[in-house]
Amino acid sequence: MKKNINILGSCVSRDTFGMFENDGGFNIEKCVTNSNLFSLCSGKLCEESLCTEEDFPNTRHYYQRCAMLDINKNVFDYIHEFDADFIIIDLANIVSKQVMKVRMKNEPDEENFTYITKTQAIDENPDFLQNAPFEVLDTFFAYEDEFTMMAFVYQYAEMLGEMFDQNKIIIIETKPMERYIDSDGNIKIFSAGNYTAKKTRYLSEAYDVLENSLPLAHVIKFPDIEILCNANHKWGVHIFHYINEYYSYALDCIRAIAGSADRESEKLLLTRIKKLYEQLIRERYACTVDGSYPLKNQSFISSKSVRLGEPVTICLNAQGGTGKYSYEIFIKKKLEKNWQQLDFEGRSSLSYEPMHFAVYEICVKVSDENNVVKKEYFEFFVH
């Protein structure tokens, strides 16, 4: 029987399920991934709703809902609509989402303010802030006000302990990463303006507070190894958009938690899973000296010269990367511009019989689970 999951965190928690078919075998019931702790822990400006989903017409429905829940301070009400088997929590939004300090327009009391999250919906709908019943006093990242941030972390931990059974809470540790795989398969460093070391320290301190305050919660530790980010991630390049193996790791940990009979068995199993993935990632991503992603297209053709009526065999092979590959084969005459894609139905090789005396070109594309693509080109002459 599928376990039911609620999510209150960032894209990391949602992608742990969303990267896999049928959400990895779980039912995702309630999910909010766009709220910063400053907003979650601060009160309402007034009892009336300050916005509706219709205030964000340029945004997808999911992000409309997240923005509305955040601004109206209804996130916890929404999560509590379904009593799931587990609630997934992460703290990545502390360093990935900006905070807006806001106050009702014409409010005489300078201390009557609250915080909301600068969500994607707000960015995509600039008219909203112009017409909103509140004004923006300041916009900043939570870690820029370290004292208030840590106070909110303690408050958030207390709120979670009061609202949820700790045994149903799963905390996923996250870390901003310094390097990513670009669209060409090269290992690149994020710009210096990301302040990764500072963000990592703040997040680490916040997770320590959360985990110590919720001693019965389940904890999925971040691997003790570099987890590269991925420019080919379904949501684009970002310091929290990891390679696919991370999500496999987190999902396997959640499966272990959901299926364990007791905490001692769970602890041993989580330790074992963590070590296995650390070893796997270390082996797969042992980067070469020039910083290239370790995916190699080793496909080849049987001959560079064939007689008319004889086939040329295209053999598909790859090494490195995630180890699960998909291929595409294209062919054209050398003097033509347009490529024709060949259908080979997932076989490891394909025999192609050319119809004309000409020089032909073949392109073989291989991609892995991280959607990194490596191409190889071949020529053969038909005589």
Side-chain angles (χ1 to χ4, degrees):
M1 185 175 180
K2 285 186 176 181
K3 297 290 186 179
N4 299 310
I5 300 291
N6 287 341
I7 296 173
L8 180 52
S10 72
C11 58
V12 177
S13 291
R14 185 62 186 91
D15 289 345
T16 293
F17 303 93
M19 289 292 188
F20 305 96
E21 186 176 356
N22 297 320
D23 285 325
F26 292 87
N27 291 323
I28 308 302
E29 299 295 343
K30 299 295 180 181
C31 178
V32 180
T33 58
N34 281 29
S35 286
N36 191 288
L37 286 191
F38 272 61
S39 179
L40 291 171
C41 296
S42 58
K44 295 182 177 182
L45 281 177
C46 63
E47 291 304 316
E48 293 78 22
S49 294
L50 299 177
C51 67
T52 67
E53 292 180 4
E54 287 70 29
D55 288 315
F56 309 102
N58 301 322
T59 301
R60 290 171 51 201
H61 178 254
Y62 172 74
Y63 297 108
Q64 289 178 337
R65 185 176 67 227
C66 285
M68 179 196 67
L69 293 171
D70 182 89
I71 294 169
N72 292 332
K73 307 295 182 180
N74 295 138
V75 170
F76 289 111
D77 295 330
Y78 176 75
I79 293 291
H80 273 295
E81 288 178 4
F82 190 91
D83 184 18
D85 296 299
F86 295 100
I87 179 168
I88 310 294
I89 303 291
D90 77 72
L91 299 177
N93 286 336
I94 286 178
V95 298
S96 67
K97 295 291 181 185
Q98 283 187 298
V99 180
M100 306 178 80
K101 182 179 179 181
V102 300
R103 181 175 60 199
M104 294 295 287
K105 291 178 178 177
N106 301 318
E107 169 61 54
D109 184 358
E110 293 184 357
E111 296 303 314
N112 190 12
F113 63 84
T114 192
Y115 299 102
I116 63 173
T117 307
K118 191 173 186 288
T119 60
Q120 179 175 330
I122 290 177
D123 289 335
E124 292 175 345
N125 298 272
D127 290 345
F128 169 70
L129 290 180
Q130 295 178 15
N131 301 315
F134 55 82
E135 59 183 341
V136 179
L137 304 176
D138 194 11
T139 301
F140 58 95
F141 283 103
Y143 58 83
E144 293 174 332
D145 184 354
E146 183 180 2
F147 178 82
T148 305
M149 183 194 78
M150 292 309 298
F152 277 143
V153 172
Y154 280 99
Q155 182 179 334
Y156 187 55
E158 184 177 353
M159 292 167 62
L160 292 175
E162 292 174 351
M163 293 181 181
F164 304 102
D165 178 355
Q166 287 191 38
N167 291 287
K168 291 186 174 184
I169 298 174
I170 300 176
I171 299 171
I172 296 184
E173 290 188 354
T174 55
K175 284 186 180 181
M177 303 312 297
E178 293 183 344
R179 303 200 297 167
Y180 67 97
I181 307 161
D182 74 4
S183 56
D184 296 320
N186 300 310
I187 310 300
K188 297 288 184 65
I189 299 175
F190 282 107
S191 64
N194 276 294
Y195 306 111
T196 305
K198 180 188 293 186
K199 293 176 181 179
T200 300
R201 177 171 67 85
Y202 288 137
L203 264 184
S204 179
E205 291 175 1
Y207 275 113
D208 285 345
V209 170
L210 192 65
E211 293 164 19
N212 290 332
S213 301
L214 301 170
L216 299 180
H218 312 265
V219 179
I220 298 176
K221 292 290 186 180
F222 199 83
D224 294 321
I225 188 172
E226 180 184 29
I227 302 295
L228 292 169
C229 292
N230 182 12
N232 295 304
H233 189 284
K234 64 189 295 185
W235 305 119
V237 64
H238 190 272
I239 57 174
F240 289 108
H241 290 172
Y242 306 127
I243 54 175
N244 201 63
E245 287 85 350
Y246 172 81
Y247 303 108
S248 295
Y249 160 69
L251 183 62
D252 280 349
C253 288
I254 291 170
R255 287 169 174 160
I257 292 168
S260 292
D262 58 80
R263 283 303 185 93
E264 192 60 34
S265 298
E266 174 188 312
K267 182 179 178 181
L268 293 173
L269 189 53
L270 291 180
T271 300
R272 179 60 176 161
I273 293 171
K274 181 170 176 285
K275 288 182 178 179
L276 286 173
Y277 272 94
E278 287 171 348
Q279 179 179 351
L280 172 69
I281 294 168
R282 189 178 291 112
E283 292 173 352
R284 284 185 178 176
Y285 297 93
C287 299
T288 56
V289 174
D290 61 359
S292 296
Y293 180 73
L295 172 64
K296 296 180 180 179
N297 187 342
Q298 298 180 324
S299 302
F300 59 93
I301 61 175
S302 59
S303 177
K304 293 184 178 181
S305 176
V306 297
R307 294 183 180 276
L308 187 65
E310 294 180 350
V312 62
T313 301
I314 306 161
C315 300
L316 306 175
N317 189 35
Q319 186 178 31
T322 61
K324 186 176 181 180
Y325 312 118
S326 59
Y327 297 89
E328 294 177 288
I329 303 174
F330 301 86
I331 195 166
K332 72 178 183 68
K333 294 176 186 175
K334 188 169 184 176
L335 297 179
E336 295 176 341
K337 291 183 178 180
N338 297 325
W339 292 88
Q340 173 194 355
Q341 186 169 1
L342 301 180
D343 182 12
F344 62 98
E345 298 180 350
R347 300 190 300 272
S348 60
S349 64
L350 171 69
S351 291
Y352 176 79
E353 187 173 314
M355 302 295 291
H356 304 93
F357 295 106
V359 176
Y360 284 81
E361 291 183 318
I362 294 173
C363 174
V364 177
K365 292 183 180 180
V366 60
S367 59
D368 66 0
E369 287 183 298
N370 285 317
N371 297 318
V372 173
V373 176
K374 294 291 185 179
K375 301 177 184 178
E376 284 293 329
Y377 293 90
F378 310 95
E379 287 189 5
F380 69 95
F381 173 63
V382 181
H383 58 90

